[in-house]
């Protein structure tokens, strides 16, 4: 009974965190910038999304008790199917000229690259994460900016893995951190406090280095070591805080937060559907000469529609439509 309650708490907190990531993407996509100004949501929302992907894949493959060898193949095959679906959907959405740097096809490649590491011990996952953390930005800097004049294969490798908008190798530490989190006891108050503490320390280290050290950059989408540490710390600390605050043991506080944030959790539960609809809506707006890019009115409208629509869908129908399709594809007999 306690295991079921703990699992339910974890799902609630992760759904809320994923919903906050989607809301952050709304903000990043809808609010105009003044010059080079950076919003809090810039970069950090998609990084939270990527970290939660690692958590979700870890939970799918056994949480703190990884699946035994004989139980792994079906689950891994399902992850491959999900990755292929996300890659194709990402390519389609990226072709719509919405003005948004679509993450899904990069995200899919991160899924595939994570598969060989899914069942490693936590210390080895951490070690590989450190190698990616320090090695990938240096490799990306040595490679230089993406150049379409390079041979096609070299261009694609550079674009997807080193210097694109969401370079896979540079972003792998987020998924690996999420995987390590999933391999911990997320229902434990000790784990939750450690996540908040470690995440906060990473925030101070990453952004602090950018403040005090000459030449260190932690700007959103810079792909620097400082950004990876600082933004990753935001994601880890936020997840730890949500796990702690929404726990049943918080009694009335936890219950109140679960009720207040229910629409956010509903949004997070159908994040793929909401994200896709957002891109479609922005593509329509960007493609219409008669519609100005309205900023705050657009953001408020998208949030209201999303919260109401996602809440009603979750209450009456459960999983979102794209989430249902993705689950059905992963369960299809030919993929078993």
């Amino acid at each position: 009974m306690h295991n079921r309650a703990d699992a339910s708490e974890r799902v609630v907190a992760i759904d809320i965190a994923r919903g906050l990531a989607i809301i952050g993407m709304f903000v990043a996509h809808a609010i105009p910038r003044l010059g080079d100004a950076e919003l809090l949501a810039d970069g950090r929302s998609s990084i939270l999304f990527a970290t939660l992907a690692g958590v979700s894949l870890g939970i799918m493959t056994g949480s703190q008790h990884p699946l035994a060898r004989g139980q792994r193949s079906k689950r891994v095959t399902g992850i491959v199917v999900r990755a292929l679906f996300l890659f194709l959907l990402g390519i389609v959405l990226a072709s719509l000229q919405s003005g948004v740097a679509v993450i899904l096809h990069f995200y899919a490649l991160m899924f595939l690259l994570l598969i060989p590491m899914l069942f490693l011990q936590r210390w080895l996952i951490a070690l590989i994460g450190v190698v990616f953390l320090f090695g990938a930005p240096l490799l990306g800097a040595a490679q230089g900016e993406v150049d379409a004049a390079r041979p096609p294969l070299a261009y694609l490798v550079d674009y997807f893995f080193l210097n694109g908008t969401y370079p896979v190798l540079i972003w792998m530490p987020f998924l690996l951190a999420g995987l390590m989190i999933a391999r911990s006891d997320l229902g434990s108050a000790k784990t939750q406090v450690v996540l908040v503490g470690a995440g906060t320390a990473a925030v101070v280290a990453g952004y602090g280095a950018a403040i005090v050290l000459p030449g260190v950059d932690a700007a959103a989408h810079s792909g620097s070591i400082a950004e990876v540490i600082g933004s990753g710390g935001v994601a880890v600390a936020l997840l730890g805080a949500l796990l702690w605050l929404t726990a049943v043991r918080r009694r009335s506080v936890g219950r109140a937060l679960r009720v207040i944030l229910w629409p956010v959790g509903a949004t997070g539960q159908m994040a793929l559907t909401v994200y896709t609809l957002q891109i479609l809506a922005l593509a329509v707006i960007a493609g219409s000469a008669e519609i100005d890019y309205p900023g705050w009115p657009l953001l408020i409208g998208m949030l209201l529609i999303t919260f109401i629509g996602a809440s009603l869908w979750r209450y009456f129908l459960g999983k979102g439509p794209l989430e249902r399709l993705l689950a059905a594809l992963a369960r299809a007999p030919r993929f078993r």
Side-chain angles (χ1 to χ4, degrees), residues 155-237:
Y155 168 77
L156 290 174
V157 169
D158 190 21
Y159 176 73
F160 280 110
F161 290 93
L162 289 172
N163 288 303
T165 310
Y166 307 103
V168 170
L169 297 184
I170 292 174
W171 278 57
M172 283 306 295
F174 305 131
L175 279 84
L176 289 165
L179 179 59
M180 286 186 62
I181 290 169
R183 294 288 181 251
S184 307
D185 182 4
L186 296 183
S188 164
K190 179 180 178 180
T191 299
Q192 295 158 8
V193 171
V194 168
L195 291 178
V196 173
T200 302
V203 170
V204 173
Y207 293 118
I211 293 172
V212 302
L213 297 178
V216 175
D217 183 15
H221 300 297
S222 65
S224 68
I225 295 171
E227 188 212 1
V228 173
I229 293 174
S231 296
V234 172
V236 171

Side-chain angles (χ1 to χ4, degrees), residues 13-276:
I14 292 168
D15 281 345
I16 291 172
R18 195 179 290 112
L20 290 174
I22 291 294
I23 292 168
M25 290 181 185
F26 280 11
V27 174
H29 297 160
I31 301 303
R33 302 296 185 279
L34 296 175
D36 295 329
E38 181 179 304
L39 300 178
L40 180 62
D42 288 344
R44 297 167 191 87
S45 300
S46 48
I47 285 170
L48 174 58
F49 205 51
T51 305
L52 293 170
V55 175
S56 297
L57 293 180
I59 291 174
M60 286 174 59
T61 52
S63 297
Q64 68 192 95
H65 303 294
L67 297 174
R69 290 186 180 276
Q71 301 173 318
R72 296 174 182 177
S73 59
K74 289 182 180 179
R75 205 60 56 87
V76 169
T77 302
I79 292 171
V80 172
V81 172
R82 285 176 167 83
L84 294 175
F85 179 87
L86 291 175
F87 187 84
L88 294 174
L89 179 59
I91 293 295
V92 171
L93 293 179
S95 71
L96 297 181
Q97 306 299 318
S98 64
V100 172
V102 175
I103 192 174
L104 293 182
H105 40 320
F106 294 91
Y107 194 54
L109 293 173
M110 295 174 205
F111 273 39
L112 295 175
L113 191 57
L114 189 67
I115 287 175
M117 308 169 214
L118 283 174
F119 302 102
L120 299 178
Q121 296 183 32
R122 282 195 299 177
W123 69 266
L124 188 52
I125 295 172
L127 179 60
I128 293 171
V130 170
V131 172
F132 276 113
L133 171 63
F134 291 99
L138 295 176
L139 187 59
Q143 183 73 2
E145 296 183 0
V146 176
D147 184 358
R150 289 175 179 162
L153 181 58
Y155 168 77
L156 290 174
V157 169
D158 190 21
Y159 176 73
F160 280 110
F161 290 93
L162 289 172
N163 288 303
T165 310
Y166 307 103
V168 170
L169 297 184
I170 292 174
W171 278 57
M172 283 306 295
F174 305 131
L175 279 84
L176 289 165
L179 179 59
M180 286 186 62
I181 290 169
R183 294 288 181 251
S184 307
D185 182 4
L186 296 183
S188 164
K190 179 180 178 180
T191 299
Q192 295 158 8
V193 171
V194 168
L195 291 178
V196 173
T200 302
V203 170
V204 173
Y207 293 118
I211 293 172
V212 302
L213 297 178
V216 175
D217 183 15
H221 300 297
S222 65
S224 68
I225 295 171
E227 188 212 1
V228 173
I229 293 174
S231 296
V234 172
V236 171
L238 178 60
L239 178 57
L242 287 172
L243 286 165
W244 192 87
L245 289 169
T246 60
V248 172
R249 67 175 68 91
R250 302 283 85 78
R251 296 192 175 92
S252 57
V253 173
R255 185 164 53 250
L257 280 174
R258 290 194 299 274
V259 171
I260 292 169
L261 296 175
W262 201 86
V264 179
T267 301
Q269 191 182 52
M270 50 189 298
L272 180 60
T273 297
V274 172
Y275 180 87
T276 300

